[in-house]
Structure formats: C-alpha cells, structure tokens
Amino acid sequence: MTQLPLQQKAVGWFFQPVALGRVAAMRFLAGAFIWVDWWWYMPWILGHRHVPGELYQPLFIARVLPVFPVPNYWIVVGTLVVLLAATVPMMFGWRPRLFGWIVAAAYFEWMIIAMSYGKVDHGKFAFLLLLFLLPTMPKAKWGDREHLAEHVGWGFNLVQIGVICTYFFAAWAKFRYGGFEWVNSATMTWAIIRRGTEFSTWMLDYPWMLRAVQWGMVSFELLTPIIMFIAAKRLKYAAVAFLYCFHVSVYLAVGISFLPHMVAMACFLPLERVSPRDLVRRLKRGKRVEESAPISIPLNNADSRSPQPHEDLPAT
C-alpha cells in the first residue's frame, strides 16, 4: 500500500535521522543533572525518609499501578543509592541501555516519593520522557556525526513534543483554573511580592508592565507548538534560545527554576557537534603553539635600541 504525499511527509518528519553523537551528549547531561538534582536542586526529597507513612498520598499512576510501596527510611535511601549508582555508567556510555532502564525506573520512583505529599512539578515531565527514551537508543560516542538512526530521531521528537506540551498545557491550565483573570489580575504582582528579587521588585511600580508580562507569557506558551514545524534550523535554534532566555529571566525575577526541563530541551540542539576529545586536543595544541612561539624583539624601533656609548657623551 503506497503512502500518500502528506503521510510520507509526516513519517519523514517524525523519523528524521539524528546523529548518534547527540545521544551520548544527552545521556551525559541527564546523568549530570540527576546528581545535581538530589544534591542541590531538590535535596528535600531525601527528607521524606523521616515523614510518617500516614501523610503519603500517592499520585494517580501510583494508585493505578500498585507496585509503589509506602516510602520509609530504607525505600527512600535505597532508591537514591540505586539511582546514583546506575547513573554513572549510563552517562559515560558503559552498557547504557541496561543502566538507562535502571535509571529511568529509579528516577520515576524518586518522583513518586517527591510528589506524593501535595506538591507536583510539571517541569519534570519532559525530563522523565527523556530518561525512558534514552534506553531505547543504541550505544553512542561523543561527536559521532557519521552514524544516523531514524529511531533516535523518533525518540528525540517525542521528548521535544513533551517539552512543547509542558508550555502549551501550562497555558491551558492557567485558563482552566484561573480564567482570563490570570492575565488580567495581579498574578505577577503577587508572585513578586512573595518571591521577588532585586531584578524584579522595581516592576511593582509599573502594574501595566506586569499585566503585559502575563499576556506575553501566556501568548508565547500557546504559540510554542509552532517550533516543532520550523524547517529552518537557525530559526529553530533561535526559538529554543528564546526559551532558555525566558527561563533564565523567570529565575532571576522570582527564583523559579526549570532546570530539568531545560536539560530535556537540549535535544533540540545539534549536540553531536560537541566532542570533548577534540576540545582537549585543541586546548593542548594551543598551549604547545604558545610555548613554542619565538620571542620577537623589534630591532627596527628606535625606542627599543640600546644606546651606543658615544650617544650619551656631550658634544665637544
């Protein structure tokens, strides 16, 4: 059965081959963030080992799949140990599929432990997708731009869709629970009063500006699906750079960070062009050139000449 032209374009877009070097880079970034996550980004999760089991209210998926026990001291600590132990070989490419599945399962349990006490973060959605899709991808090396795979492109497209859905449904939730009052009221004013920094408190004197920020934020969140269909790579990279700048601005303004989301968003970028070995070689080569470069003495400069003995003698 022959495919229709539109169907061929859709299949070609969804299964566009991607270089394996991007897989190695994303595995390293994902593993590096997990270490940052438990130590700095969300260290409070480990404190749940001391929380009484009566306060545990499992998420919907934990209720549907009755394989998640009530967290206690050993379950919380054991999950963290398994997660960190499996992260190291995955991020350095040693049996990445095996340890990738262990990392995905352990981090999923880690999120169940974190989010089953009343606070649920939507910024981890795309990162969880990334962790569950990386084990489906083959073993890869940094800087590999020669070997391409369609199912790698399929996996990263799913992560990109997860990134875009995080923005789009965040705007949907604003209208669902807050209606148009979310953009027309003092939402940002309240946020800055609670969590403002020296970069944002000055905006309290300009309420019209805060309302414009609210409308602009929701507008660009609703328009983010366009990024998936931008054909020009430079334009797509510029749109992704804008998203990074947006998150940096939010962090500077109210101290809210979307670091895991930003890690997942890196799959938009051509990370296969990055090779740590080449960078080290260039640095070594640059040092050798600097060390071997001869020291030149400008002999033709009159100011640099050493004075001759008769030049300092008075005229007779």
Side-chain angles (χ1 to χ4, degrees):
M1 182 177 179
T2 59
Q3 293 181 339
L4 299 175
L6 183 60
Q7 186 179 2
Q8 291 177 351
K9 289 183 179 180
V11 172
W13 171 83
F14 205 76
F15 293 92
Q16 185 177 4
V18 172
L20 296 186
R22 194 179 305 187
V23 179
M26 290 305 298
R27 279 176 174 149
F28 182 85
L29 288 177
F33 169 74
I34 289 175
W35 279 85
V36 173
D37 190 17
W38 84 272
W39 179 257
W40 173 77
Y41 189 71
M42 298 178 71
W44 48 266
I45 302 177
L46 186 60
H48 285 169
R49 69 189 187 276
H50 299 304
V51 176
E54 293 79 9
L55 300 179
Y56 176 67
Q57 296 180 356
L59 300 176
F60 175 77
I61 192 170
R63 298 194 300 269
V64 173
L65 301 176
V67 295
F68 301 96
V70 177
N72 56 31
Y73 183 90
W74 295 111
I75 290 176
V76 175
V77 174
T79 301
L80 179 61
V81 170
V82 171
L83 176 63
L84 296 179
T87 295
V88 176
M90 180 203 72
M91 62 189 296
F92 288 104
W94 189 73
R95 295 188 178 181
R97 286 184 169 180
L98 171 62
F99 289 104
W101 284 117
I102 296 174
V103 168
Y107 194 80
F108 188 72
E109 167 63 13
W110 191 243
M111 289 297 98
I112 295 295
I113 295 172
M115 307 300 170
S116 295
Y117 296 89
K119 181 180 184 295
V120 180
D121 293 338
H122 66 285
K124 293 289 187 76
F125 175 66
F127 185 73
L128 276 171
L129 277 178
L130 175 65
L131 290 183
F132 275 97
L133 287 166
L134 283 176
T136 68
M137 301 178 186
K139 191 173 183 178
K141 295 181 180 180
W142 281 88
D144 186 358
R145 288 185 279 179
E146 298 180 359
H147 301 89
L148 308 176
E150 291 182 349
H151 69 279
V152 171
W154 166 80
F156 282 142
N157 266 331
L158 288 180
V159 179
Q160 292 173 10
I161 291 173
V163 170
I164 297 302
C165 286
T166 301
Y167 294 111
F168 184 82
F169 287 108
W172 178 269
K174 291 179 178 67
F175 285 118
R176 179 184 177 187
Y177 296 104
F180 281 95
E181 290 302 318
W182 197 97
V183 291
N184 286 325
S185 62
T187 307
M188 286 300 299
T189 301
W190 174 74
I192 293 176
I193 290 174
R194 290 181 62 237
R195 314 183 51 138
T197 65
E198 62 272 17
F199 299 102
S200 60
T201 51
W202 62 272
M203 298 178 69
L204 295 174
D205 297 329
Y206 305 93
W208 62 270
M209 184 182 296
L210 294 173
R211 184 171 296 181
V213 169
Q214 292 166 190
W215 274 100
M217 186 185 306
V218 173
S219 298
F220 104 80
E221 286 178 341
L222 291 174
L223 293 174
T224 48
I226 299 175
I227 298 176
M228 297 297 301
F229 305 101
I230 297 177
K233 292 185 178 180
R234 290 186 178 181
L235 188 58
K236 178 174 287 190
Y237 298 154
V240 174
F242 170 79
L243 295 179
Y244 276 111
C245 292
F246 165 75
H247 288 294
V248 172
S249 301
V250 170
Y251 180 75
L252 293 176
V254 291
I256 297 177
S257 172
F258 281 78
L259 188 56
H261 180 82
M262 296 169 70
V263 172
M265 196 162 54
C267 67
F268 279 98
L269 305 176
L271 298 178
E272 61 272 14
R273 300 179 183 178
V274 180
S275 176
R277 292 183 178 179
D278 291 343
L279 293 176
V280 172
R281 290 172 183 173
R282 290 177 184 177
L283 290 175
K284 290 182 178 179
R285 192 176 304 169
K287 290 182 179 180
R288 291 175 183 174
V289 171
E290 291 180 358
E291 292 176 355
S292 60
I295 301 175
S296 59
I297 301 176
L299 297 178
N300 295 328
N301 191 348
D303 294 336
S304 62
R305 283 187 306 162
S306 57
Q308 299 298 323
H310 65 275
E311 293 178 346
D312 291 336
L313 295 176
T316 56

